[in-house]
Amino acid sequence: MSQQVPDQASAVIIGGGVTGASVAYHLARLGWQDVVLLERKQFACGTTWHAAGLIGTMRANESHAKLCEYSMSLLTELEEETGQSTGFRQVGSLSIAHSEARFEELKRVAAMNNAFGVTQVDMVTVEEIGNLFPLIETRGLLGGSYVAKDGKGSPIDVTNAFIKGARQRGAHCIESIEVTEVHTAKGRVTGVTTNQGSIKTGFVVNAAGMWARNLARANGVSVPLHACEHYYAVTEKDDAFTPDLPVLRDHDKCAYYREDAGSLLVGAFEKNALSWGQNGIPQDFCFDELTGHVEQQLYPVLEDAMARVPKLEQVGWRKFFCGPESFTPDDQFHLGEVPELGGYFVACGLNSVGIQSSGGLGKACAEWMHHGYAPMDLWSNDIRRMYPFMSNQKFIEERVTETLGLLYDNHYPFKQFETARNIRHSPIHERLVENRACFGQVVGWERANWFAPEGVEPRYKYSFGKQNWFEYSAAEHCAAREGVALFDQSSFSKYLVTGRDALPALQKICSADVDVESGKVVYTHWLNDRGGIEADLTVTRIDETTFWVVSGAAVTIKDLDWLRRQIPSDSHCTVVDITSSHAVFGIMGPASRNLLQPLIDVDLSNDAFAFGTSQPIAIGYATGRALRVSFVGELGWELYVPTDMARHVFDLLVEHGKRYNLQLAGLHALDSCRIEKKFLHFGHDIGDEDTPLEAGAGFVCAMNKSSRFIGYDAIARQKDSRTFMRKRLVQFLLEDPEEVLYHHEPILKDGNIVGHLTSGNYGHTLGGSVGLGYVRSSEEITADFISASRFEIDVAGRKIPAQASLRALYDPTGARSRG
């Protein structure tokens, strides 16, 4: 039965797969009237229909675990509400390991998820694996993990349940309607045109799956994703494949198994995938299958599968399937309002977790639209983490051939992408190569993470312990602590904020007081109305109307979007992204003053150049600006020099630095130094759900400045109620110097889980692994509370005693930076 397209809608959702259907359902559930869901062909006909339907709750971060837990719990509720079956059956999920590295990863992931408090993950023995999955060959296995509450569902039925529930709540869900254009005016969505008429609306959700990138591009919006060939095989029916078999994952062999109507489905996440749809997705695509490259991509996985589940050698194969599925540059789905266009939201790029995430993702998107902000920390999925170049065909087509396989690869700490590299370079990149730098990449930037000595190849050898670069980075760390080191920090985001209204605009946005003397550097946060941290950065006042803002490399798009949203449109205030115009060299360590003074034309003494100030400088033939700040926690300066003069300045520093044993140092050493100082890392230690008070940075909130900043009322309430005292960021130092921390390890107080680490690294000066993490308690967390408690950190099931402190264990007064 055909439905007429309405003239107006509160929101138009484009794409009738499971994600779009969930968004429609949740908007209607929030009371939005006249929600419209449009599907170009038939519901679920793109990627949803051929999904494996795995329903799991064990995830890599707390927010994702919560989304999946909600998704699972919603399935039963949906069935009761709509009468539509979802096919959900709670059979459990089992992950196996036949390598030490995989077993270590499973232990870490289990401990992490148990700390989240969302699901219970149990480690199981080889014997228990055989009991749980009787068809398995257990030889060569070391153990595994098991989640009893996990299961499987029917993707088409789940989609239909969302659609039925949305319709019952007043949403219009219509098939065979193609959106041909999204209309805009004054930077906002105003409506859509379809093949059956136009609809006025202030909100559009691009849930178009593998069509999403091209749909967005028509409006100048960047949504980086691309389809890949994705494979599974289905056996003939056999009584051995009972409905109660748990979902089985063999990550080491790139395979998963699930019972499917009396057959066994074996799916593949091969290491080297093949992209598909390079010339666009056919407009008439509807429940289509691909010819694919079954022998090349699927057969090797099936050969291993028959060895692991010998029954597969005795039954026939009913079907070898290849279908398209979209993947993103970092294996994280896209969600949120795009920075290019107000009212334009995305919910797409699910990377094979669409069914298990669908309920939570739809709820999060709907609440984001309803309230104007994300309902939880979703920075790892925020579309603003993506950069425009990532939507380029060459980049995304190449990258997704890697990201598909990475889902089942070992998730080693510091593991780097191998595809689509060498995009953004520091102006001294070749100099770093000559000095044997080993590079990592962040938003396309190639950054020196560590330097190899002569005769050593600068290449990672990954593990969950101390990796091959550990001692080299330790030497770099010690140089910064005891001598002098040079860090290339050119990837810093840099913005120039100018105009007669620049000061009032920044006073509103910044929690700290930036109405300071010219040359003063102010460390500040940008807060939301709830007091949560949206940015962590420095603002330097250049003159009465000019400010220099420096932030992290990964947050350029987010920061610029925040500024655009907060600066009034009629304000005489201009923001310019000057990231690429200046290189940044951090000269850090006790000998930094002695090294720099002969090269720079200003007095570097404490009296003439105090900590937290900035001055224009001449160095060699170049001009630039020096900021006396330090993310290392030692005496030092950040030198900002024009890109075209950067090589000259670098060569000058290196040549002159020989007499001071100047050490080139990478970002692993920088992070090692900052974590000893308990300096914060945005996206790990702080985010939009954490306040400065909870993070131990209440000093950035200038409660008495002349104009109130965004978030002032929330911070004032938290100060008055002292609720922040029950969630506080604590520093931990492991007593066992051989254990290594990374992040998300559970924190135990007197044997009970009270939180998990937000970041971790090795503290070479403190002599052990250091972690930061929020401790939560029903009572106030004071220094006495900490000292009276026994803390341990769970490292892959090993409970390691740890020293805990609210203040930095290294140089808590900050005297060394001011020396």
Side-chain angles (χ1 to χ4, degrees), residues 479-485 587-598 604 634-637 656-657 659-662 816:
R481 287 280 186 251
E482 301 165 8
V484 60
I587 311 301
M588 300 293 157
S592 58
R593 179 182 284 122
N594 292 338
L595 186 156
L596 288 173
Q597 188 60 86
L604 299 181
E634 300 292 340
L635 175 68
W637 282 261
H656 182 70
R659 68 192 69 181
Y660 297 96
N661 295 316
L662 174 68
R816 294 181 67 88

Side-chain angles (χ1 to χ4, degrees), residues 104-116 120-121 123 732 734 739-749 751-757 790-802:
E104 174 76 6
E105 180 173 344
L106 291 181
K107 292 175 186 176
R108 285 178 175 264
V109 171
M112 173 200 318
N113 277 267
N114 289 335
F116 297 157
Q120 176 62 40
V121 185
M123 298 305 299
F732 298 93
L734 293 190
E739 294 285 357
V740 182
L741 298 175
Y742 296 111
H743 66 278
H744 284 161
E745 291 88 350
I747 302 166
L748 291 87
K749 173 188 172 294
N752 299 310
I753 294 176
V754 291
H756 58 81
L757 298 186
R790 176 176 58 87
F791 284 97
E792 297 168 304
I793 306 298
D794 184 334
V795 182
R798 303 180 293 276
K799 309 297 192 298
I800 312 300

Side-chain angles (χ1 to χ4, degrees), residues 475-752:
E476 298 165 18
H477 171 111
C478 292
R481 287 280 186 251
E482 301 165 8
V484 60
L486 187 158
F487 298 88
D488 179 19
Q489 297 168 279
S490 300
S491 60
F492 274 167
S493 299
K494 315 168 195 77
Y495 326 118
L496 201 63
V497 182
T498 61
R500 64 171 178 261
D501 294 329
L503 177 61
L506 286 174
Q507 281 288 73
K508 173 189 173 187
I509 294 169
C510 296
S511 62
D513 191 351
V514 296
D515 188 4
V516 293
E517 296 178 0
S518 296
K520 183 69 176 174
V521 182
V522 179
Y523 172 55
T524 187
H525 289 163
W526 293 349
L527 306 182
N528 54 45
D529 289 332
R530 305 169 311 284
I533 301 167
E534 295 286 348
D536 174 72
L537 40 75
T538 61
V539 177
T540 301
R541 189 168 195 175
I542 305 299
D543 58 36
E544 186 176 347
T545 60
T546 307
F547 296 82
W548 181 290
V549 181
V550 179
S551 189
V555 293
T556 308
I557 305 298
K558 182 181 190 297
D559 288 346
L560 293 174
D561 179 62
W562 188 258
L563 285 170
R564 178 184 62 80
R565 292 172 184 269
Q566 306 306 328
I567 297 175
S569 58
D570 59 352
S571 175
H572 195 280
C573 178
T574 302
V575 179
V576 180
D577 179 8
I578 59 170
T579 297
S580 298
S581 68
H582 285 74
V584 185
F585 303 135
I587 311 301
M588 300 293 157
S592 58
R593 179 182 284 122
N594 292 338
L595 186 156
L596 288 173
Q597 188 60 86
L599 304 179
I600 292 180
D601 66 338
V602 300
D603 184 355
L604 299 181
S605 67
N606 275 331
D607 291 340
F609 206 137
F611 181 79
T613 63
S614 169
Q615 295 184 36
I617 59 168
I619 177 168
Y621 302 136
T623 57
R625 177 168 289 275
L627 276 64
R628 190 175 166 194
V629 293
S630 174
F631 200 48
V632 168
E634 300 292 340
L635 175 68
W637 282 261
E638 291 176 359
L639 307 182
Y640 292 73
V641 295
T643 299
D644 53 356
M645 300 179 180
R647 291 189 181 190
H648 162 67
V649 172
F650 176 80
D651 291 344
L652 181 67
L653 290 166
V654 169
E655 182 60 33
H656 182 70
K658 290 177 180 177
R659 68 192 69 181
Y660 297 96
N661 295 316
L662 174 68
Q663 171 80 54
L664 296 183
L667 297 186
H668 288 337
L670 182 73
D671 188 64
S672 170
C673 289
R674 76 91 195 167
I675 204 167
E676 288 189 328
K677 281 289 297 170
K678 205 191 171 201
F679 289 158
L680 306 175
H681 189 296
F682 184 84
H684 287 90
D685 306 314
I686 50 175
D688 60 8
E689 288 194 307
D690 309 305
T691 73
L693 298 175
E694 296 163 348
F699 60 88
V700 303
C701 297
M703 306 301 287
N704 297 320
K705 69 177 180 177
S706 56
S707 57
R708 290 190 173 185
F709 54 86
I710 298 169
Y712 174 94
D713 290 340
I715 297 299
R717 286 194 299 270
Q718 200 175 45
K719 274 178 171 284
D720 291 343
S721 65
R722 295 180 63 83
T723 54
F724 71 93
M725 294 292 287
R726 295 193 287 274
K727 173 195 171 186
R728 300 193 71 180
L729 190 69
V730 178
Q731 185 183 50
F732 298 93
L733 172 64
L734 293 190
E735 293 181 7
D736 183 347
E738 296 306 312
E739 294 285 357
V740 182
L741 298 175
Y742 296 111
H743 66 278
H744 284 161
E745 291 88 350
I747 302 166
L748 291 87
K749 173 188 172 294
D750 301 328
N752 299 310

Side-chain angles (χ1 to χ4, degrees), residues 257-278:
Y257 308 73
R258 62 152 287 184
E259 184 273 339
D260 184 36
S263 301
L264 194 66
L265 183 153
V266 183
F269 282 94
E270 65 276 22
K271 291 184 182 297
N272 299 299
L274 298 176
S275 58
W276 180 81
Q278 292 88 335

Side-chain angles (χ1 to χ4, degrees), residues 150-354:
D150 286 354
K152 58 189 179 181
S154 166
I156 291 179
D157 288 337
V158 172
T159 305
N160 288 336
F162 279 128
I163 289 169
K164 189 171 182 179
R167 283 173 169 164
Q168 288 176 348
R169 295 172 181 271
H172 305 277
C173 304
I174 314 174
E175 296 179 306
S176 301
I177 303 294
E178 181 182 354
V179 173
T180 57
E181 187 177 359
V182 176
H183 297 288
T184 67
K186 298 180 180 179
R188 284 199 61 86
V189 166
T190 59
V192 301
T193 293
T194 77
N195 57 349
Q196 292 191 25
S198 295
I199 307 173
K200 293 180 180 179
T201 186
F203 288 92
V204 161
V205 181
N206 182 342
M210 54 189 172
W211 289 270
R213 182 168 68 105
N214 285 342
L215 174 66
R217 182 185 295 157
N219 289 101
V221 171
S222 174
V223 180
L225 55 77
H226 199 287
C228 282
E229 296 177 0
H230 200 29
Y231 295 88
Y232 60 73
V234 183
T235 70
E236 299 289 354
K237 294 180 183 295
D238 192 283
D239 291 341
F241 304 135
T242 57
D244 59 349
L245 275 178
V247 172
L248 174 66
R249 293 180 177 87
D250 187 354
H251 299 88
D252 287 324
K253 297 299 181 180
C254 311
Y256 64 87
Y257 308 73
R258 62 152 287 184
E259 184 273 339
D260 184 36
S263 301
L264 194 66
L265 183 153
V266 183
F269 282 94
E270 65 276 22
K271 291 184 182 297
N272 299 299
L274 298 176
S275 58
W276 180 81
Q278 292 88 335
N279 298 317
I281 310 301
Q283 285 302 109
D284 60 351
F285 188 99
C286 182
F287 296 110
D288 289 8
E289 298 183 29
L290 307 181
T291 303
H293 302 77
V294 173
E295 291 188 16
Q296 172 186 330
Q297 300 297 109
L298 181 60
Y299 279 10
V301 176
L302 295 183
E303 287 182 21
D304 289 331
M306 287 187 284
R308 185 53 62 196
V309 181
K311 182 67 177 178
L312 295 175
E313 295 180 322
Q314 303 166 16
V315 296
W317 294 99
R318 179 161 55 90
K319 186 170 190 62
F320 298 120
F321 177 84
C322 177
E325 186 163 351
S326 57
F327 292 83
T328 64
D330 59 359
D331 268 337
Q332 300 293 325
F333 58 79
H334 297 323
L335 192 62
E337 189 173 19
V338 303
E340 299 94 339
L341 194 57
Y344 193 116
F345 281 74
V346 295
C348 53
L350 271 297
N351 304 283
S352 289
V353 296

